[in-house]
Structures are given as structure tokens and as C-alpha cells.
Amino acid sequence: MPLDCVANDPSPAAVRIMPFGDSITQGGNGGSAYRRTLWWLLRENGYRCTFVGTQNTSMKHRPTRLTDFDLMHEGHSGTRASWFTQHYPTAQVVQACMPDIILLHVGTNDIIAGDHPAAIMHSIREMLRQMHRGNPAVLVLLSRVIPNLASDGMTKRAKQLNKLFQNATRHSNMELHPPPPCTQHTLGGGACRNTSKFLKAHNITVIEASAGNGLTHNDIFEDGIHPTDEGNVVLACNWLYYLEYLLARTATPTNGAYALTNHSSPCSVFR
């Protein structure tokens, strides 16, 4: 697989964000999941970010309908966490793209396959190791899985898996240490974390997140697995919540449709 990683804004000042996961990240039927909404939320609220990855399509390699945002991502529909650890060059992809932040949501397809929650978390922790190997400075926002309503068994396994994220995050941070902050002497010349892009230096590698916080039955399609358009807005607003905690604003927010100061903003209902 060629590792052609694309960043539409290659400036060192842009925060490189990699949406990483399965179809819930990739989007279906020409859609872009939460990614387009999140990109516009970041842009219109004063954050200079660029999405990076080796993929730029919807599920089944269909072109994305709306292309007025950074299309790049690392979403692969139908994939399990165990597939990423055993059959995908995760470390090499991260090394090629050098994201500052990874938005990681995986585990849904493992639940569908009937894998035990402990085994799924074992794979997720191995993914974190491979990501850290690819870029020791990367900060991973590790999301609990969104609700799975496809069957009672899947709902139960999803809840059981989500109970494991807190300890997994803690143990991963004990194991995976980021490099020191960059200085004028080390920037671009070795392993260091460019803390100028962040509100403060975080001496951790993994932050537990919940991209699906607030999702209701009405926000999930009849398959019980994938968010509707409205559900994807919820995911985008939740990702923004965590990114606002991390990122330094570099521009004055606009008065556009996605600006949080606009009462009709997609996220206004959550504020």
C-alpha cells in the first residue's frame, strides 16, 4: 500500500489532525461522517487545522459528495481493531502523516464480530503502541465506542468495552511517554512535541474521550450502528469540545454558520 499522506495545509503552524477508525469515521453513501462538520467548526472558531491521512473517499471508495473541506482521513469501513494491529501498517501511516492529534474511534466491528471486550481493548492498546512508534509526539484522543443498538448482545458488549477505557488510558500513559517539548534548537531536528500548537504542554500520550456523548436512538440509523446526519453533528461537536481544551486559537472566530457565537450553529444546542 503506498503511503501517500496528504495535508491540504502543509504549514508547520497548522495542527495536523488524523481522523482514524472504521465506517463511523469514513462515512457511507458519499458522506463524510462527522469530518466535514468538525472541519468547519474548527475553521470558523479560530483554529488552524488540517486533516491528514491516506484516504479521501467514502465507504466502498465512493467519492465524497461535499468537497469543501479537508477530505483526508484514516477511516476504513468494516475494520476491526485487531485488523489494524495485524494487517495494516499503522505505525508507518502515522510516521508518514506525522499527525499532532489522532481522533481514534475503533471497536465497533469487533463488537459486531462477537469479540470479547477484553480482547478488543488488548487490540486497541496495541494500536496505541503502534501509533506512538510512528510518532512519539502524537496525542491520541481515544473515544469510547458510540452506542450499539443492533442487538441486545452488541449493546451489552459495547457497554462492557466502554468500562475498560479509563484503565486502558491510564496504563497506556504509564507505558507511552511523549518526547520533551520542542525548543528552537530541537524543532524539526528530532523527536519533540511542538507545544506551541497547544494551550499547554500535556505530558501524556492518550486522553480518554466520548465522541458519542449525548447520542439518542433517533441519532442512529435503523441498523443500530451508524449515526444519522444529526448523529454525526453530535460526534463533531463532541470532538470539538476536546479539541478546544487542547488547541490554541490562532485567529478570530468568524460570524459564519459554524461559529459557536452563532445561535444557529450546529453545536449551539450543546452549549
Side-chain angles (χ1 to χ4, degrees), residues 160-174:
Q160 290 172 335
L161 176 61
N162 282 340
K163 292 179 180 179
L164 304 179
F165 275 85
Q166 185 174 22
N167 275 341
T169 299
R170 180 168 60 87
H171 287 293
S172 292
N173 281 322
M174 292 170 62

Side-chain angles (χ1 to χ4, degrees), residues 1-9 15-21 25-26 35 39 49-57 69-76 84 88-90 92-103:
M1 184 199 73
L3 299 183
D4 295 328
C5 192
V6 176
N8 289 330
D9 184 352
V15 179
R16 299 168 70 91
I17 297 176
M18 176 182 277
F20 203 124
T25 296
Q26 185 175 22
R35 293 178 288 108
W39 189 86
C49 301
T50 187
F51 287 176
V52 298
T54 63
Q55 310 296 308
N56 65 359
T57 63
F69 72 107
D70 283 357
L71 296 177
M72 305 312 297
H73 64 90
E74 209 58 44
H76 300 266
F84 282 113
Y88 195 70
T90 299
Q92 293 93 321
V93 167
V94 172
Q95 184 177 34
C97 295
M98 291 302 288
D100 297 299
I101 296 174
I102 293 174
L103 308 180

